[in-house]
Amino acid sequence: TTNAFTDYAIKFMQDQKDDKPFFLYLAYNAAHTPLLAKEEDKAKVKGLYDKGWDVVRNNRFEKVKQLGLVPKDLKLSAEAMKPWAELPKDKQKEEIRQMTTYAAMISNMDKNIGRVTEYLKASGKLDNTLIIYLSDNGATFHTDYWNMCNAPFTGHKRDTYEGGIAAHCIISWPKVITGQQGKITQSPADIIDIMPTFLQVSGAAYPTVFNKHKIQPLEGHSLVPIFSAGTREEPEWFFWEHDENYAVKNLDWKAVKPNDGKNWELYNIKNDRGETKDLAAANPAQLTKLTTQWQKWADTHHVFPKGTASSDSTDF
């Protein structure tokens, strides 16, 4: 499907007969279950995982620190996996197979994104095309090695810990993004910032009504200031809910409530991005501030099924 989706994406661009701006949403299935990859792609990453997930996890942690993606003094979250040496040999073999296949899928996806950019380059459109590449969540919980994939963060897909919601975002627009090329920004952003960004760069207006139905008001903040300055004024609040996993962020503070019945937890993610130290008991007023705002957001943003009460409103 990765190859097929790319074929169609390129055909879509080739079919354009005018010079008007185009919008292409290219959503690959990879990397995702089922884990399937070509042998030629597997060969590229063969041996990378033979030492086991303990070694790979620590190496990745050191790599992201060297790249400047996380602070050098960041603490690594607690492991949720068995030590590699304790796994039976057949289990180790199976895990190596899965990790290798997953990496091969990503390698193929990278190659196909290259096909898209090469077409844009050949057609003279690359420099004036805004490309936003991102993932929708952290690594899956279906595999035993997810904590390695999400290092140094806590949690995984479906969680609202950083391991579930923190994802990469790479933006390219050579004609506009000049002074910031190749640089890393730590400005927090959310998927809801994509729409305001597109509206600003295209000059389009966001509608308020469609087919006589009132549309949810636009939220989020444009990423355009980051294109020139490398940063922007940080939005004061971020909110999340997925599968009854809750979270709210207010500047340096973040509250998290997992769906396992536990209480709200509180973290200072400026000092502890790995969410290793729960500060809820020591900062009850700060926790209440965040959870109160989360509840207001949930009640006004259709978080709860229609006709039901805010089931957790008394759990704070």
Side-chain angles (χ1 to χ4, degrees):
T1 58
T2 302
N3 295 348
F5 287 4
T6 304
D7 292 343
Y8 190 85
I10 293 175
K11 183 179 184 301
F12 165 78
M13 293 185 289
Q14 290 174 333
D15 286 345
Q16 184 177 9
K17 305 304 180 184
D18 56 42
D19 293 326
K20 294 181 180 180
F22 67 88
F23 175 78
L24 170 65
Y25 176 54
L26 179 54
Y28 293 116
N29 285 349
H32 196 282
T33 52
L35 299 182
L36 301 167
K38 294 183 177 182
E39 293 302 320
E40 62 191 69
D41 293 319
K42 292 180 184 178
K44 296 177 183 177
V45 294
K46 184 178 180 180
L48 286 179
Y49 301 95
D50 288 358
K51 292 183 178 180
W53 52 42
D54 297 342
V55 173
V56 176
R57 185 172 190 257
N58 287 327
N59 289 344
R60 287 188 176 185
F61 182 44
E62 292 303 316
K63 182 69 175 291
V64 295
K65 288 195 293 184
Q66 293 172 11
L67 291 173
L69 292 171
V70 298
K72 292 188 180 300
D73 60 350
L74 178 66
K75 294 181 180 179
L76 184 62
S77 63
E79 291 192 32
M81 308 173 294
K82 286 183 178 180
W84 182 256
E86 294 182 8
L87 269 64
K89 293 298 181 182
D90 60 338
K91 178 64 173 175
Q92 289 184 354
K93 184 178 180 180
E94 173 59 18
E95 291 300 322
I96 290 172
R97 184 194 68 80
Q98 290 196 49
M99 290 187 286
T100 299
T101 306
Y102 190 90
M105 294 173 75
I106 293 176
S107 178
N108 186 51
M109 183 172 64
D110 183 55
K111 179 171 60 180
N112 275 275
I113 293 171
R115 290 177 57 203
V116 173
T117 57
E118 282 301 315
Y119 170 78
L120 290 170
K121 185 177 180 180
S123 60
K125 297 179 179 180
L126 182 61
D127 285 351
N128 197 32
T129 298
L130 170 61
I131 300 174
I132 299 180
Y133 168 73
L134 72 162
S135 178
D136 54 352
N137 46 247
T140 178
F141 60 94
H142 288 301
T143 59
D144 290 332
Y145 56 86
W146 59 263
N147 198 252
M148 177 198 75
C149 298
N150 292 326
F153 299 137
T154 297
H156 50 74
K157 178 180 178 178
R158 292 191 180 180
D159 286 339
T160 47
Y161 293 108
E162 292 296 282
I165 62 175
H168 53 264
C169 180
I170 302 173
I171 299 178
S172 173
W173 194 3
K175 186 176 180 179
V176 174
I177 305 175
T178 54
Q180 300 302 320
Q181 287 183 346
K183 294 185 178 180
I184 296 172
T185 176
Q186 298 293 346
S187 293
D190 194 271
I191 189 70
I192 62 173
D193 296 330
I194 302 297
M195 173 63 81
T197 303
F198 287 163
L199 292 175
Q200 182 172 348
V201 301
S202 67
Y206 186 79
T208 57
V209 176
F210 181 75
N211 283 349
K212 298 181 180 180
H213 294 283
K214 186 178 180 181
I215 296 175
Q216 183 77 22
L218 179 66
E219 299 194 37
H221 305 269
S222 173
L223 300 174
V224 170
I226 300 178
F227 297 172
S228 57
T231 187
R232 65 171 181 173
E233 184 177 353
E234 180 177 340
E236 186 176 1
W237 294 93
F238 290 88
F239 302 94
W240 298 271
E241 185 278 335
H242 186 67
D243 281 353
E244 297 185 354
N245 292 290
Y246 308 156
V248 50
K249 177 181 177 294
N250 174 232
L251 303 177
D252 294 342
W253 292 95
K254 180 184 173 188
V256 180
K257 186 176 186 297
N259 66 2
D260 57 9
K262 294 181 179 179
N263 295 323
W264 281 93
E265 302 164 6
L266 180 68
Y267 301 97
N268 186 308
I269 59 172
K270 180 180 181 180
N271 302 326
D272 180 26
R273 186 81 187 278
E275 295 166 310
T276 62
K277 187 177 181 180
D278 182 5
L279 302 175
N283 298 272
Q286 183 67 50
L287 180 63
T288 298
K289 174 184 176 181
L290 269 67
T291 57
T292 299
Q293 286 299 119
W294 185 91
Q295 191 65 53
K296 291 180 180 178
W297 168 80
D299 289 339
T300 55
H301 286 73
H302 317 292
V303 169
F304 302 103
K306 187 175 182 180
T308 64
S310 303
S311 57
D312 282 350
S313 60
T314 58
D315 287 352
F316 306 151

Short mmCIF file of all heavy atoms in Angstrom, two decimals, residues 130 171 173 176-180 185 187-189 193-194 196-198 200-201 220-235:
data_model
loop_
_atom_site.label_atom_id
_atom_site.label_comp_id
_atom_site.label_asym_id
_atom_site.label_seq_id
_atom_site.Cartn_x
_atom_site.Cartn_y
_atom_site.Cartn_z
N LEU A 130 4.56 23.73 0.46
CA LEU A 130 4.62 23.52 1.90
C LEU A 130 4.34 22.05 2.18
O LEU A 130 3.28 21.53 1.84
CB LEU A 130 3.57 24.39 2.61
CG LEU A 130 3.33 24.11 4.10
CD1 LEU A 130 4.59 24.32 4.93
CD2 LEU A 130 2.19 24.98 4.63
N ILE A 171 8.73 20.07 8.74
CA ILE A 171 8.10 21.00 7.81
C ILE A 171 9.14 21.52 6.81
O ILE A 171 10.23 21.90 7.20
CB ILE A 171 7.45 22.18 8.56
CG1 ILE A 171 6.37 21.65 9.51
CG2 ILE A 171 6.86 23.18 7.58
CD1 ILE A 171 5.70 22.73 10.34
N TRP A 173 9.50 24.10 3.33
CA TRP A 173 8.96 25.09 2.39
C TRP A 173 10.13 25.99 2.00
O TRP A 173 10.27 27.11 2.50
CB TRP A 173 7.84 25.89 3.03
CG TRP A 173 7.00 26.69 2.08
CD1 TRP A 173 7.09 26.72 0.71
CD2 TRP A 173 5.93 27.57 2.42
NE1 TRP A 173 6.15 27.56 0.18
CE2 TRP A 173 5.42 28.10 1.21
CE3 TRP A 173 5.36 27.97 3.60
CZ2 TRP A 173 4.37 29.01 1.18
CZ3 TRP A 173 4.30 28.87 3.59
CH2 TRP A 173 3.81 29.38 2.38
N VAL A 176 10.07 29.83 1.54
CA VAL A 176 9.64 30.66 2.66
C VAL A 176 10.49 30.43 3.91
O VAL A 176 10.88 31.37 4.60
CB VAL A 176 8.15 30.40 2.98
CG1 VAL A 176 7.72 31.15 4.24
CG2 VAL A 176 7.28 30.79 1.80
N ILE A 177 10.74 29.16 4.22
CA ILE A 177 11.53 28.84 5.40
C ILE A 177 13.01 28.88 5.00
O ILE A 177 13.56 27.90 4.49
CB ILE A 177 11.16 27.45 5.96
CG1 ILE A 177 9.66 27.37 6.24
CG2 ILE A 177 11.94 27.14 7.22
CD1 ILE A 177 9.17 26.00 6.68
N THR A 178 13.64 29.99 5.23
CA THR A 178 15.02 30.17 4.79
C THR A 178 16.00 30.13 5.97
O THR A 178 16.87 29.26 6.03
CB THR A 178 15.17 31.50 4.03
OG1 THR A 178 14.68 32.57 4.85
CG2 THR A 178 14.38 31.45 2.73
N GLY A 179 15.85 31.02 6.90
CA GLY A 179 16.79 31.08 8.02
C GLY A 179 16.69 29.94 9.00
O GLY A 179 17.58 29.74 9.83
N GLN A 180 15.61 29.16 8.92
CA GLN A 180 15.39 28.08 9.89
C GLN A 180 15.64 26.69 9.30
O GLN A 180 15.35 25.69 9.93
CB GLN A 180 13.96 28.16 10.43
CG GLN A 180 13.61 29.45 11.14
CD GLN A 180 14.53 29.73 12.31
OE1 GLN A 180 14.88 28.82 13.06
NE2 GLN A 180 14.93 30.97 12.46
N THR A 185 12.96 23.00 16.51
CA THR A 185 12.24 23.89 17.43
C THR A 185 11.57 23.06 18.51
O THR A 185 11.11 21.94 18.27
CB THR A 185 11.17 24.72 16.70
OG1 THR A 185 10.45 25.50 17.68
CG2 THR A 185 10.19 23.83 15.96
N SER A 187 9.06 24.43 20.22
CA SER A 187 7.76 25.05 20.41
C SER A 187 6.66 23.99 20.35
O SER A 187 6.53 23.31 19.33
CB SER A 187 7.50 26.12 19.34
OG SER A 187 8.38 27.20 19.48
N PRO A 188 5.88 23.83 21.40
CA PRO A 188 4.82 22.81 21.37
C PRO A 188 3.72 23.18 20.40
O PRO A 188 3.37 24.35 20.25
CB PRO A 188 4.32 22.79 22.82
CG PRO A 188 4.64 24.15 23.35
CD PRO A 188 5.92 24.56 22.68
N ALA A 189 3.20 22.18 19.73
CA ALA A 189 2.13 22.39 18.76
C ALA A 189 1.22 21.18 18.78
O ALA A 189 1.55 20.14 19.36
CB ALA A 189 2.70 22.63 17.36
N ASP A 193 -3.37 22.84 15.03
CA ASP A 193 -2.66 24.01 14.51
C ASP A 193 -2.47 23.95 12.99
O ASP A 193 -2.09 24.94 12.37
CB ASP A 193 -1.30 24.16 15.18
CG ASP A 193 -1.40 24.43 16.67
OD1 ASP A 193 -2.40 25.05 17.09
OD2 ASP A 193 -0.49 24.01 17.42
N ILE A 194 -2.70 22.79 12.41
CA ILE A 194 -2.49 22.63 10.97
C ILE A 194 -3.50 23.44 10.16
O ILE A 194 -3.15 24.12 9.20
CB ILE A 194 -2.56 21.14 10.57
CG1 ILE A 194 -1.51 20.33 11.34
CG2 ILE A 194 -2.37 20.99 9.07
CD1 ILE A 194 -0.09 20.72 11.06
N PRO A 196 -5.27 26.28 10.97
CA PRO A 196 -4.97 27.71 10.92
C PRO A 196 -3.74 28.04 10.07
O PRO A 196 -3.68 29.09 9.44
CB PRO A 196 -4.73 28.06 12.40
CG PRO A 196 -5.46 27.02 13.16
CD PRO A 196 -5.34 25.77 12.35
N THR A 197 -2.79 27.12 10.04
CA THR A 197 -1.60 27.32 9.22
C THR A 197 -1.97 27.34 7.74
O THR A 197 -1.56 28.24 6.99
CB THR A 197 -0.57 26.20 9.47
OG1 THR A 197 -0.24 26.17 10.86
CG2 THR A 197 0.69 26.42 8.64
N PHE A 198 -2.75 26.37 7.30
CA PHE A 198 -3.18 26.31 5.91
C PHE A 198 -4.02 27.52 5.53
O PHE A 198 -3.91 28.05 4.42
CB PHE A 198 -3.97 25.02 5.65
CG PHE A 198 -3.12 23.78 5.63
CD1 PHE A 198 -3.71 22.54 5.76
CD2 PHE A 198 -1.75 23.85 5.48
CE1 PHE A 198 -2.95 21.38 5.73
CE2 PHE A 198 -0.98 22.70 5.46
CZ PHE A 198 -1.57 21.46 5.58
N GLN A 200 -3.82 30.51 6.80
CA GLN A 200 -2.98 31.71 6.69
C GLN A 200 -2.17 31.72 5.41
O GLN A 200 -2.09 32.74 4.72
CB GLN A 200 -2.05 31.82 7.89
CG GLN A 200 -1.19 33.08 7.85
CD GLN A 200 -0.40 33.31 9.12
OE1 GLN A 200 -0.63 32.66 10.15
NE2 GLN A 200 0.56 34.22 9.07
N VAL A 201 -1.58 30.59 5.05
CA VAL A 201 -0.71 30.59 3.87
C VAL A 201 -1.52 30.64 2.57
O VAL A 201 -1.02 31.10 1.54
CB VAL A 201 0.22 29.36 3.86
CG1 VAL A 201 1.10 29.35 5.09
CG2 VAL A 201 -0.54 28.06 3.72
N GLY A 220 -6.87 26.26 17.62
CA GLY A 220 -5.50 26.09 17.20
C GLY A 220 -4.89 27.42 16.80
O GLY A 220 -5.57 28.45 16.69
N HIS A 221 -3.58 27.41 16.58
CA HIS A 221 -2.83 28.62 16.27
C HIS A 221 -1.86 28.34 15.13
O HIS A 221 -1.20 27.31 15.11
CB HIS A 221 -2.07 29.11 17.51
CG HIS A 221 -2.94 29.32 18.71
ND1 HIS A 221 -3.53 30.52 19.00
CD2 HIS A 221 -3.33 28.46 19.69
CE1 HIS A 221 -4.25 30.41 20.12
NE2 HIS A 221 -4.13 29.16 20.55
N SER A 222 -1.75 29.26 14.22
CA SER A 222 -0.91 29.07 13.04
C SER A 222 0.55 28.81 13.41
O SER A 222 1.09 29.40 14.37
CB SER A 222 -1.00 30.29 12.13
OG SER A 222 -0.08 30.19 11.07
N LEU A 223 1.18 27.95 12.63
CA LEU A 223 2.60 27.65 12.81
C LEU A 223 3.49 28.59 12.01
O LEU A 223 4.73 28.51 12.11
CB LEU A 223 2.88 26.21 12.38
CG LEU A 223 2.11 25.11 13.12
CD1 LEU A 223 2.39 23.76 12.45
CD2 LEU A 223 2.48 25.07 14.59
N VAL A 224 2.90 29.47 11.23
CA VAL A 224 3.68 30.35 10.34
C VAL A 224 4.75 31.14 11.07
O VAL A 224 5.87 31.29 10.54
CB VAL A 224 2.74 31.27 9.54
CG1 VAL A 224 3.53 32.34 8.80
CG2 VAL A 224 1.93 30.44 8.54
N PRO A 225 4.50 31.68 12.28
CA PRO A 225 5.58 32.41 12.96
C PRO A 225 6.85 31.59 13.16
O PRO A 225 7.96 32.14 13.16
CB PRO A 225 4.95 32.79 14.31
CG PRO A 225 3.49 32.87 14.02
CD PRO A 225 3.23 31.77 13.05
N ILE A 226 6.71 30.28 13.31
CA ILE A 226 7.88 29.42 13.50
C ILE A 226 8.72 29.36 12.22
O ILE A 226 9.94 29.20 12.28
CB ILE A 226 7.44 28.01 13.92
CG1 ILE A 226 6.67 28.07 15.24
CG2 ILE A 226 8.64 27.07 14.05
CD1 ILE A 226 6.16 26.72 15.72
N PHE A 227 8.07 29.54 11.06
CA PHE A 227 8.79 29.45 9.80
C PHE A 227 9.91 30.48 9.71
O PHE A 227 10.96 30.22 9.12
CB PHE A 227 7.83 29.65 8.62
CG PHE A 227 6.77 28.59 8.49
CD1 PHE A 227 5.74 28.73 7.58
CD2 PHE A 227 6.79 27.46 9.29
CE1 PHE A 227 4.76 27.77 7.45
CE2 PHE A 227 5.81 26.48 9.18
CZ PHE A 227 4.79 26.64 8.25
N SER A 228 9.69 31.65 10.29
CA SER A 228 10.68 32.72 10.19
C SER A 228 11.49 32.90 11.47
O SER A 228 12.68 33.16 11.43
CB SER A 228 9.99 34.04 9.83
OG SER A 228 9.00 34.36 10.79
N ALA A 229 10.82 32.72 12.62
CA ALA A 229 11.49 32.99 13.90
C ALA A 229 12.00 31.74 14.59
O ALA A 229 12.79 31.83 15.54
CB ALA A 229 10.54 33.75 14.83
N GLY A 230 11.54 30.57 14.16
CA GLY A 230 11.96 29.34 14.81
C GLY A 230 11.20 29.03 16.08
O GLY A 230 11.39 28.00 16.70
N THR A 231 10.30 29.94 16.45
CA THR A 231 9.47 29.74 17.64
C THR A 231 8.22 30.59 17.49
O THR A 231 8.06 31.34 16.53
CB THR A 231 10.24 30.11 18.92
OG1 THR A 231 9.45 29.76 20.07
CG2 THR A 231 10.55 31.60 18.96
N ARG A 232 7.32 30.49 18.42
CA ARG A 232 6.12 31.32 18.46
C ARG A 232 5.69 31.45 19.91
O ARG A 232 6.17 30.71 20.79
CB ARG A 232 5.00 30.69 17.63
CG ARG A 232 4.50 29.37 18.18
CD ARG A 232 3.26 28.86 17.48
NE ARG A 232 2.82 27.59 18.09
CZ ARG A 232 1.70 26.98 17.79
NH1 ARG A 232 0.87 27.49 16.89
NH2 ARG A 232 1.37 25.84 18.39
N GLU A 233 4.78 32.34 20.17
CA GLU A 233 4.23 32.46 21.52
C GLU A 233 3.46 31.18 21.84
O GLU A 233 2.58 30.77 21.09
CB GLU A 233 3.30 33.66 21.62
CG GLU A 233 2.76 33.88 23.02
CD GLU A 233 1.88 35.12 23.13
OE1 GLU A 233 1.80 35.88 22.13
OE2 GLU A 233 1.28 35.34 24.20
N GLU A 234 3.84 30.54 22.92
CA GLU A 234 3.24 29.24 23.23
C GLU A 234 1.78 29.38 23.63
O GLU A 234 1.43 30.18 24.50
CB GLU A 234 4.01 28.58 24.38
CG GLU A 234 3.47 27.22 24.76
CD GLU A 234 4.28 26.55 25.85
OE1 GLU A 234 5.45 26.93 26.05
OE2 GLU A 234 3.74 25.64 26.51
N PRO A 235 0.89 28.58 23.03
CA PRO A 235 -0.50 28.56 23.48
C PRO A 235 -0.56 28.18 24.96
O PRO A 235 0.19 27.31 25.42
CB PRO A 235 -1.14 27.48 22.60
CG PRO A 235 -0.29 27.43 21.38
CD PRO A 235 1.11 27.70 21.86
#
